[in-house]
Amino acid sequence: MIDYIIIGAGLAGVVMAERIATQLNKKVLIIEKRNHIGGNCYDFKDENNILIHKYGPHLFHTNNKKVINYLSKFTEWDIYSHEVLASIDGKKVPIPFNINTLYEVFPKSKAKTLEDKLLQTYSYNSKIPILELKKSTDKDLQFLADFVYENIFLNYTAKQWGMKPEDIDCTVTARVPIFVGRDNRYFYDKYQMLPKNGYTKMIENMLNHKNIKIMTNTDFKEICTLKEKEFYFFDSKFEGQIIYTGQIDELFDYKFGNLQYRSAEMKFETIEKEYYQEKATVNYPNDYEFTRITEFKHIHPSNSKKTTILKEYPQEYKKNQNTPYYPVFTKENQNIYNKYLANSRDINNLLLVGRLAEYKYYDMDDIIERTLAVYEKELYV
Ligand code: UDP
């Protein structure tokens, strides 16, 4: 007997399963295409005994105490603040671009002029999106905006999205603002930490319940069929709830067209020395075909004499060939998504949740907050 079928064992599916199993005391089956749980948060110890993130660096940060309280039932934490450098003309400087960065890239007097101008215009510790700063009419701020735009955003965004910064949704580049302060951290949230034994371990703990069964290596379409407005589990009509966290266009057999996603090839390398670079991530906006190099030892300390690095090569997503990581926000994609969403509302026992199903650039804390909210609104009675 299964009460709920969850498609996808990433954070959205796992949080739903945990809530349903423990709070509703109902039986859940999770169907997962990959050979592991955890979705893109999946981490494991590699041959160098270093904990690596298979699908790229996942750094947990949030201001949401509810999310922390929830996850703390399943893991202890290590305090960790992520720092990123950007390589500009061979020099590695802190980003988000902040007042310290000014003094690294410009002569002292020029940096001072720009610092004064920033502080006259904006309050200390404010975050200014690059596309906002570009609108400035002040000539010093215009100079600064052009410098940051050209050196940090333009080419990185071309690699990452195949587009210019102004052609993607402005919230994307606003994730990495110009910071009118001296904090070199990549995120400014109150809580910045990592699950002590990794994401996979935390997620295993979330799923460790007698009401939860998991089928990995299984494409849901092998065992579930959507006919008209009804789901079939093998040959029987499924009367329970379906929670779908995968690509929404795939669920509906692409009938309104393919949604666009960005992907990336993740290339790991072992380097025969203790450390490779000075911080966890170094971005290369203007050189190479990869966007950034992450060195996992900075994220999860290890005694290994070697080190593991990851280079991320962005690519267009291609069905069955690579992984869809990011929704691509254009008007056209949003229109296609809206058609799928409207269609999904005709199916009574279907809930959509997660980055792929909702076609939203959710961070990990957003997913947990969102999933808990959907659970409370739709399932908890
Ligand atoms: N970005 C950039 N240069 C950088 C870092 C970020 O142009 O050095 C832009 C780019 O468009 C990127 C977006 O800011 O996609 C968001 O970056 P973030 O680091 O948040 O991306 P994520 O870690 O989610 O892949």
Side-chain angles (χ1 to χ4, degrees), residues 39-73:
N40 289 350
C41 303
Y42 178 73
D43 54 15
F44 65 98
K45 285 224 167 136
D46 71 359
E47 67 276 16
N48 303 323
N49 203 29
I50 296 169
L51 191 62
I52 63 169
H53 302 175
K54 180 170 174 162
Y55 302 95
H58 279 68
L59 297 318
F60 189 77
H61 56 97
T62 190
N63 285 315
N64 190 324
K65 190 75 175 56
K66 185 177 173 186
V67 168
I68 294 288
N69 288 344
Y70 174 72
L71 292 178
S72 298
K73 292 190 241 178

Short mmCIF file of all heavy atoms in Angstrom, two decimals, residues 39-73:
data_model
loop_
_atom_site.label_atom_id
_atom_site.label_comp_id
_atom_site.label_asym_id
_atom_site.label_seq_id
_atom_site.Cartn_x
_atom_site.Cartn_y
_atom_site.Cartn_z
N GLY A 39 19.70 14.28 -4.92
CA GLY A 39 19.66 15.22 -6.04
C GLY A 39 21.01 15.87 -6.25
O GLY A 39 22.05 15.21 -6.13
N ASN A 40 20.99 17.15 -6.53
CA ASN A 40 22.26 17.84 -6.83
C ASN A 40 23.07 18.18 -5.59
O ASN A 40 24.17 18.72 -5.70
CB ASN A 40 21.98 19.11 -7.63
CG ASN A 40 21.55 18.79 -9.04
OD1 ASN A 40 21.62 17.64 -9.48
ND2 ASN A 40 21.07 19.80 -9.76
N CYS A 41 22.54 17.88 -4.40
CA CYS A 41 23.33 18.10 -3.17
C CYS A 41 24.24 16.91 -2.88
O CYS A 41 25.02 16.96 -1.92
CB CYS A 41 22.45 18.22 -1.94
SG CYS A 41 21.25 19.46 -2.03
N TYR A 42 24.09 15.86 -3.65
CA TYR A 42 24.79 14.62 -3.35
C TYR A 42 26.30 14.84 -3.19
O TYR A 42 26.94 15.45 -4.05
CB TYR A 42 24.53 13.62 -4.48
CG TYR A 42 25.24 12.31 -4.33
CD1 TYR A 42 24.82 11.38 -3.39
CD2 TYR A 42 26.32 12.00 -5.15
CE1 TYR A 42 25.47 10.16 -3.27
CE2 TYR A 42 26.97 10.78 -5.03
CZ TYR A 42 26.54 9.87 -4.08
OH TYR A 42 27.18 8.67 -3.96
N ASP A 43 26.83 14.35 -2.07
CA ASP A 43 28.29 14.43 -1.86
C ASP A 43 28.81 13.07 -1.44
O ASP A 43 28.05 12.21 -0.97
CB ASP A 43 28.66 15.54 -0.84
CG ASP A 43 27.94 15.42 0.49
OD1 ASP A 43 27.36 14.35 0.78
OD2 ASP A 43 27.96 16.40 1.26
N PHE A 44 30.07 12.85 -1.64
CA PHE A 44 30.69 11.57 -1.26
C PHE A 44 32.19 11.77 -1.13
O PHE A 44 32.76 12.73 -1.67
CB PHE A 44 30.38 10.47 -2.29
CG PHE A 44 30.99 10.72 -3.65
CD1 PHE A 44 32.19 10.11 -4.02
CD2 PHE A 44 30.39 11.58 -4.56
CE1 PHE A 44 32.76 10.34 -5.27
CE2 PHE A 44 30.95 11.82 -5.81
CZ PHE A 44 32.13 11.20 -6.17
N LYS A 45 32.85 10.82 -0.41
CA LYS A 45 34.31 10.88 -0.26
C LYS A 45 34.96 10.29 -1.50
O LYS A 45 34.66 9.15 -1.87
CB LYS A 45 34.75 10.12 0.98
CG LYS A 45 34.43 10.89 2.24
CD LYS A 45 35.58 10.88 3.23
CE LYS A 45 35.33 11.92 4.31
NZ LYS A 45 35.61 11.43 5.63
N ASP A 46 35.84 11.02 -2.14
CA ASP A 46 36.47 10.51 -3.35
C ASP A 46 37.72 9.69 -3.01
O ASP A 46 38.00 9.44 -1.83
CB ASP A 46 36.77 11.66 -4.33
CG ASP A 46 37.91 12.56 -3.84
OD1 ASP A 46 38.46 12.33 -2.74
OD2 ASP A 46 38.26 13.49 -4.58
N GLU A 47 38.49 9.31 -4.02
CA GLU A 47 39.64 8.43 -3.80
C GLU A 47 40.74 9.11 -2.98
O GLU A 47 41.63 8.46 -2.46
CB GLU A 47 40.19 7.87 -5.13
CG GLU A 47 40.82 8.88 -6.07
CD GLU A 47 39.82 9.61 -6.97
OE1 GLU A 47 38.60 9.58 -6.66
OE2 GLU A 47 40.26 10.25 -7.94
N ASN A 48 40.66 10.44 -2.85
CA ASN A 48 41.64 11.16 -2.01
C ASN A 48 41.14 11.34 -0.58
O ASN A 48 41.74 12.08 0.20
CB ASN A 48 41.95 12.53 -2.62
CG ASN A 48 42.46 12.41 -4.04
OD1 ASN A 48 43.20 11.48 -4.36
ND2 ASN A 48 42.06 13.33 -4.90
N ASN A 49 40.01 10.70 -0.28
CA ASN A 49 39.38 10.83 1.04
C ASN A 49 38.92 12.27 1.32
O ASN A 49 38.96 12.75 2.45
CB ASN A 49 40.33 10.33 2.14
CG ASN A 49 39.56 9.94 3.39
OD1 ASN A 49 38.40 9.52 3.31
ND2 ASN A 49 40.19 10.11 4.55
N ILE A 50 38.51 12.93 0.26
CA ILE A 50 38.02 14.31 0.39
C ILE A 50 36.53 14.30 0.02
O ILE A 50 36.13 13.68 -0.98
CB ILE A 50 38.80 15.24 -0.57
CG1 ILE A 50 40.28 15.28 -0.15
CG2 ILE A 50 38.20 16.65 -0.58
CD1 ILE A 50 41.19 15.94 -1.16
N LEU A 51 35.72 14.96 0.85
CA LEU A 51 34.28 15.01 0.58
C LEU A 51 34.05 15.99 -0.57
O LEU A 51 34.39 17.18 -0.46
CB LEU A 51 33.55 15.47 1.84
CG LEU A 51 32.03 15.35 1.84
CD1 LEU A 51 31.58 13.89 1.70
CD2 LEU A 51 31.44 15.92 3.11
N ILE A 52 33.51 15.47 -1.68
CA ILE A 52 33.28 16.35 -2.84
C ILE A 52 31.79 16.41 -3.18
O ILE A 52 31.03 15.50 -2.84
CB ILE A 52 34.09 15.91 -4.08
CG1 ILE A 52 33.67 14.52 -4.57
CG2 ILE A 52 35.59 15.95 -3.80
CD1 ILE A 52 34.25 14.16 -5.93
N HIS A 53 31.40 17.48 -3.84
CA HIS A 53 30.00 17.69 -4.24
C HIS A 53 29.91 17.34 -5.73
O HIS A 53 30.43 18.08 -6.57
CB HIS A 53 29.58 19.14 -4.01
CG HIS A 53 29.73 19.60 -2.59
ND1 HIS A 53 29.49 20.90 -2.20
CD2 HIS A 53 30.09 18.93 -1.46
CE1 HIS A 53 29.69 21.01 -0.89
NE2 HIS A 53 30.07 19.83 -0.42
N LYS A 54 29.29 16.23 -6.03
CA LYS A 54 29.30 15.70 -7.40
C LYS A 54 28.75 16.68 -8.43
O LYS A 54 29.19 16.72 -9.56
CB LYS A 54 28.48 14.40 -7.42
CG LYS A 54 28.43 13.77 -8.78
CD LYS A 54 27.85 12.38 -8.76
CE LYS A 54 27.74 11.94 -10.22
NZ LYS A 54 27.61 10.57 -10.44
N TYR A 55 27.74 17.46 -8.03
CA TYR A 55 27.08 18.36 -8.98
C TYR A 55 27.45 19.83 -8.75
O TYR A 55 26.66 20.72 -9.00
CB TYR A 55 25.57 18.16 -8.93
CG TYR A 55 25.18 16.72 -9.24
CD1 TYR A 55 24.97 15.81 -8.20
CD2 TYR A 55 25.10 16.26 -10.54
CE1 TYR A 55 24.65 14.48 -8.47
CE2 TYR A 55 24.79 14.93 -10.82
CZ TYR A 55 24.57 14.05 -9.78
OH TYR A 55 24.27 12.74 -10.05
N GLY A 56 28.66 20.05 -8.27
CA GLY A 56 29.11 21.43 -8.06
C GLY A 56 28.93 21.87 -6.63
O GLY A 56 28.15 21.28 -5.88
N PRO A 57 29.66 22.94 -6.24
CA PRO A 57 29.68 23.35 -4.83
C PRO A 57 28.31 23.76 -4.32
O PRO A 57 27.62 24.56 -4.94
CB PRO A 57 30.64 24.55 -4.84
CG PRO A 57 30.72 25.00 -6.26
CD PRO A 57 30.47 23.80 -7.11
N HIS A 58 27.92 23.19 -3.20
CA HIS A 58 26.67 23.53 -2.53
C HIS A 58 27.00 24.08 -1.15
O HIS A 58 27.45 23.34 -0.27
CB HIS A 58 25.78 22.29 -2.42
CG HIS A 58 25.04 22.01 -3.70
ND1 HIS A 58 25.68 21.62 -4.84
CD2 HIS A 58 23.72 22.12 -4.01
CE1 HIS A 58 24.78 21.48 -5.82
NE2 HIS A 58 23.58 21.79 -5.33
N LEU A 59 26.79 25.37 -0.99
CA LEU A 59 27.15 26.03 0.28
C LEU A 59 25.87 26.48 0.94
O LEU A 59 25.13 27.28 0.35
CB LEU A 59 28.06 27.24 0.02
CG LEU A 59 29.43 26.97 -0.59
CD1 LEU A 59 30.12 25.76 0.01
CD2 LEU A 59 29.42 26.92 -2.08
N PHE A 60 25.63 25.96 2.10
CA PHE A 60 24.36 26.26 2.76
C PHE A 60 24.43 27.61 3.47
O PHE A 60 25.36 27.88 4.22
CB PHE A 60 24.01 25.15 3.76
CG PHE A 60 22.63 25.31 4.29
CD1 PHE A 60 21.55 24.94 3.51
CD2 PHE A 60 22.41 25.87 5.53
CE1 PHE A 60 20.25 25.13 3.96
CE2 PHE A 60 21.12 26.06 6.00
CZ PHE A 60 20.05 25.68 5.21
N HIS A 61 23.43 28.45 3.22
CA HIS A 61 23.35 29.75 3.89
C HIS A 61 21.89 30.17 3.95
O HIS A 61 21.14 29.93 3.00
CB HIS A 61 24.19 30.81 3.16
CG HIS A 61 23.81 30.97 1.72
ND1 HIS A 61 22.96 31.96 1.27
CD2 HIS A 61 24.13 30.24 0.63
CE1 HIS A 61 22.80 31.84 -0.04
NE2 HIS A 61 23.49 30.80 -0.46
N THR A 62 21.49 30.75 5.06
CA THR A 62 20.08 31.15 5.19
C THR A 62 19.92 32.17 6.31
O THR A 62 20.75 32.27 7.22
CB THR A 62 19.19 29.92 5.49
OG1 THR A 62 17.82 30.31 5.38
CG2 THR A 62 19.43 29.32 6.87
N ASN A 63 18.82 32.91 6.22
CA ASN A 63 18.41 33.75 7.35
C ASN A 63 17.23 33.13 8.06
O ASN A 63 16.71 33.71 9.01
CB ASN A 63 18.00 35.15 6.84
CG ASN A 63 19.22 35.96 6.46
OD1 ASN A 63 20.20 35.99 7.20
ND2 ASN A 63 19.17 36.61 5.30
N ASN A 64 16.82 31.97 7.58
CA ASN A 64 15.56 31.40 8.03
C ASN A 64 15.79 30.39 9.17
O ASN A 64 16.25 29.28 8.97
CB ASN A 64 14.90 30.72 6.82
CG ASN A 64 13.49 30.30 7.11
OD1 ASN A 64 13.17 29.89 8.23
ND2 ASN A 64 12.64 30.40 6.11
N LYS A 65 15.39 30.81 10.37
CA LYS A 65 15.62 29.98 11.56
C LYS A 65 14.79 28.69 11.50
O LYS A 65 15.20 27.64 11.98
CB LYS A 65 15.26 30.80 12.81
CG LYS A 65 15.66 30.18 14.12
CD LYS A 65 17.16 30.29 14.36
CE LYS A 65 17.70 29.82 15.66
NZ LYS A 65 17.56 28.59 16.22
N LYS A 66 13.61 28.81 10.87
CA LYS A 66 12.74 27.63 10.77
C LYS A 66 13.44 26.52 9.97
O LYS A 66 13.37 25.33 10.32
CB LYS A 66 11.43 28.04 10.08
CG LYS A 66 10.41 26.95 10.03
CD LYS A 66 9.10 27.43 9.41
CE LYS A 66 8.16 26.25 9.23
NZ LYS A 66 6.94 26.58 8.52
N VAL A 67 14.13 26.93 8.91
CA VAL A 67 14.84 25.96 8.06
C VAL A 67 15.97 25.31 8.86
O VAL A 67 16.17 24.10 8.82
CB VAL A 67 15.36 26.66 6.78
CG1 VAL A 67 16.34 25.77 6.02
CG2 VAL A 67 14.19 27.05 5.88
N ILE A 68 16.70 26.13 9.61
CA ILE A 68 17.80 25.59 10.43
C ILE A 68 17.24 24.62 11.48
O ILE A 68 17.77 23.53 11.67
CB ILE A 68 18.54 26.74 11.17
CG1 ILE A 68 19.25 27.63 10.15
CG2 ILE A 68 19.52 26.20 12.21
CD1 ILE A 68 20.45 27.00 9.52
N ASN A 69 16.17 25.03 12.14
CA ASN A 69 15.59 24.15 13.18
C ASN A 69 15.16 22.82 12.59
O ASN A 69 15.38 21.77 13.18
CB ASN A 69 14.38 24.82 13.84
CG ASN A 69 14.80 25.96 14.72
OD1 ASN A 69 15.99 26.08 15.06
ND2 ASN A 69 13.87 26.84 15.08
N TYR A 70 14.57 22.90 11.41
CA TYR A 70 14.11 21.68 10.75
C TYR A 70 15.29 20.76 10.44
O TYR A 70 15.32 19.59 10.83
CB TYR A 70 13.32 22.04 9.48
CG TYR A 70 12.95 20.82 8.67
CD1 TYR A 70 11.96 19.95 9.13
CD2 TYR A 70 13.61 20.51 7.49
CE1 TYR A 70 11.64 18.79 8.42
CE2 TYR A 70 13.29 19.37 6.76
CZ TYR A 70 12.31 18.51 7.24
OH TYR A 70 12.00 17.37 6.54
N LEU A 71 16.31 21.29 9.76
CA LEU A 71 17.43 20.43 9.34
C LEU A 71 18.25 19.94 10.53
O LEU A 71 18.86 18.86 10.47
CB LEU A 71 18.34 21.18 8.36
CG LEU A 71 17.73 21.48 6.99
CD1 LEU A 71 18.72 22.26 6.13
CD2 LEU A 71 17.33 20.19 6.27
N SER A 72 18.23 20.72 11.59
CA SER A 72 19.05 20.34 12.76
C SER A 72 18.55 19.05 13.42
O SER A 72 19.24 18.47 14.26
CB SER A 72 19.08 21.48 13.79
OG SER A 72 19.69 22.60 13.19
N LYS A 73 17.35 18.60 13.03
CA LYS A 73 16.88 17.31 13.55
C LYS A 73 17.65 16.17 12.90
O LYS A 73 17.63 15.04 13.38
CB LYS A 73 15.40 17.13 13.23
CG LYS A 73 14.52 18.08 14.00
CD LYS A 73 13.08 17.67 13.83
CE LYS A 73 12.33 18.78 13.16
NZ LYS A 73 10.98 18.60 12.87
#
